[in-house]
Amino acid sequence: MKVAVLAGDGIGKEVTAEALRVLQAVVPKSAALEIAHAPIGGAGVEAAGDPLPSATLELARKSDAILFGAAGEPGDEKIPFDMRPGASLLRLRKALGLFANFRPAFLFPELADASSLKREIVDGLDIVILRELTGDLYFGEPRGVTNEGGERVGINTMRYSESEVRRIGHAAFRAARMRNRKVCSVDKANVLETMQLWRDVMTEVGTEYPDVELTHTFVDAAAMMLMRNPRQFDVIVTGNVFGDILSDAAAMLTGSIGMLPSASLGSGRLGLYEPVHGTAPDIAGKNIANPLAAILSVEMMLRLSFDMQEAAARIRRAVSAVLAEGYRTADIYEPGTKRVGTREMGDAMLAALR
Ligand code: IPM
Ligand code: MG
């Protein structure tokens, strides 16, 4: 089990340290876990003058799974795009062909009151946003800022090929077959040609899965439906940009973005696992970040890259146990619960696992 740990910047370092302790606690000795650390993001710039150092990319390629923390630093906006620490993540996803980004939004019953929505709306919530991760406005050409008639013009291109839509479509239907057999494809086909193609291809792929219900929704309506009645969804499949936005919104249904793990997969075995939250520079280095999203990312790693279902289930049960015991980091704290720091939440997890 070769795991590359790319902790990165901000709270990435703190939450990854706790996730790693949990990983080491649940994997049996016989599985021969091999951990290797490498710098990425601001840490990569510091170590090798590149947010994605070639040695880091090499290590990632040779691994079975990557545990990623977060990358990016305040003030990034002033540096050229490909040198920005945050861009290291985009380059890594693209270089490794990790096109399918699973972002589950799952409510632990103990956190129903931490959600910004009413308990009766989110109780029992269990949906997955499947975000296409290597196409769309993020990577389309042409791009850049040019000069036209004496003023600056910014250009990005929404682009999807049929094969890109097809492969994420198949991933969505396969995921739905292991869940409640419903796929909602989210697009903007009323306005954008790219998204009409997206809808047409999704419909074609859908005919191969007659046992799965396929619906189509425009992204604006999908945003509304997520807030009004999120439990109507099972698997939401959408493009890179819409998925970025909707997954942050869905995170809040679960109480905190600090609870949300993710898995990015390609057509091979390699997977990248990361919390959805990012670097959170305002709270970095203060031992207050919630490590549960990173810890739940390890759960996804054990399930999806290593098929270690029992070890994964132990993590899920331990998270439920620490929440039931009342442990809360600042982001999910409510009066009457026990407020703890990042490290202490990790300690509570280890105790629960024992
Ligand atoms: C995410 C993040 C990234 C993205 C940023 C850090 C580039 O917001 O993983 O959702 O936009 O994909
Ligand atoms: Mg995002």
Side-chain angles (χ1 to χ4, degrees):
M1 282 178 78
K2 288 199 182 112
V3 177
V5 179
L6 314 182
D9 309 316
I11 61 170
K13 298 192 251 318
E14 297 158 71
V15 297
T16 304
E18 301 314 311
L20 206 47
R21 289 166 77 203
V22 167
L23 176 65
Q24 283 162 326
V26 296
V27 168
K29 291 275 171 296
S30 59
L33 181 61
E34 277 178 45
I35 307 277
H37 296 261
I40 196 162
V45 173
E46 220 167 277
D50 184 346
L52 179 56
S54 51
T56 299
L57 182 57
E58 267 324 289
L59 174 75
R61 278 193 210 286
K62 285 191 302 211
S63 305
D64 301 310
I66 301 162
L67 181 61
F68 187 93
E73 284 177 336
D76 267 17
E77 296 77 24
K78 296 182 202 74
I79 320 173
F81 265 100
D82 54 342
M83 285 303 285
R84 288 183 190 178
S88 58
L89 181 54
L90 302 181
R91 284 166 58 195
L92 187 64
R93 290 167 177 168
K94 189 75 174 173
L96 301 176
L98 304 172
F99 64 86
N101 181 214
F102 291 87
R103 296 187 162 185
F106 173 90
L107 182 78
F108 285 92
E110 294 79 9
L111 295 184
D113 293 320
S115 171
S116 40
L117 271 78
K118 295 191 202 81
R119 171 185 274 275
E120 56 268 30
I121 307 262
V122 293
D123 233 353
L125 180 80
D126 179 7
I127 65 177
V128 174
I129 297 188
L130 175 54
R131 169 189 179 193
E132 199 290 329
L133 205 55
T134 53
D136 206 346
L137 283 171
Y138 274 67
F139 296 98
E141 300 278 349
R143 64 184 299 159
V145 177
T146 58
N147 245 292
E148 270 176 38
E151 68 163 347
R152 285 168 301 164
V153 176
I155 300 169
N156 289 98
T157 303
M158 179 174 270
R159 181 184 191 281
Y160 268 118
S161 68
E162 192 178 343
S163 55
E164 285 172 317
V165 181
R166 208 171 283 285
R167 67 182 181 180
I168 194 75
H170 282 293
F173 285 102
R174 283 197 301 266
R177 273 191 173 160
M178 297 193 286
R179 301 173 44 91
N180 294 319
R181 295 179 185 257
K182 292 201 313 190
V183 170
C184 177
S185 171
V186 171
D187 60 42
K188 192 73 183 172
N190 49 342
V191 180
L192 304 167
E193 287 83 352
T194 312
M195 290 285 109
Q196 182 64 55
L197 176 71
W198 173 283
R199 184 173 287 215
D200 294 345
V201 175
M202 279 295 164
T203 304
E204 287 162 28
V205 174
T207 60
E208 296 176 44
Y209 301 82
D211 53 318
V212 178
E213 175 197 298
L214 171 64
T215 53
H216 304 273
T217 305
F218 299 136
V219 63
D220 49 351
M224 190 182 67
M225 288 154 73
L226 260 182
M227 297 301 119
R228 194 169 61 190
N229 176 17
R231 282 175 310 198
Q232 69 189 282
F233 296 110
D234 180 23
V235 175
I236 292 178
V237 63
T238 189
N240 206 345
V241 174
F242 298 159
D244 179 42
I245 300 165
L246 291 181
S247 61
D248 269 30
M252 280 321 294
L253 304 175
T254 69
S256 166
I257 197 165
M259 294 299 299
L260 226 75
S262 81
S264 303
L265 306 176
S267 40
R269 220 172 95 79
L270 176 63
L272 181 147
Y273 300 87
E274 63 172 310
V276 172
H277 50 61
T279 53
D282 51 325
I283 60 164
K286 296 183 181 160
N287 191 44
I288 55 181
N290 186 349
L292 292 177
I295 288 169
L296 290 166
S297 298
V298 168
E299 181 205 338
M300 292 189 87
M301 175 191 293
L302 294 174
R303 282 192 201 287
L304 300 172
S305 280
F306 298 115
D307 196 20
M308 296 176 75
Q309 306 303 332
E310 182 41 37
R314 277 182 69 202
I315 295 180
R316 179 64 72 102
R317 285 196 300 270
V319 172
S320 290
V322 299
L323 293 174
E325 284 162 41
Y327 293 105
R328 299 284 188 280
T329 41
D331 56 314
I332 49 176
Y333 174 76
E334 298 161 81
T337 61
K338 292 175 235 169
R339 188 173 180 144
V340 292
T342 312
R343 187 73 188 180
E344 293 69 39
M345 188 59 108
D347 291 341
M349 278 295 300
L350 292 184
L353 285 167
R354 263 180 245 122

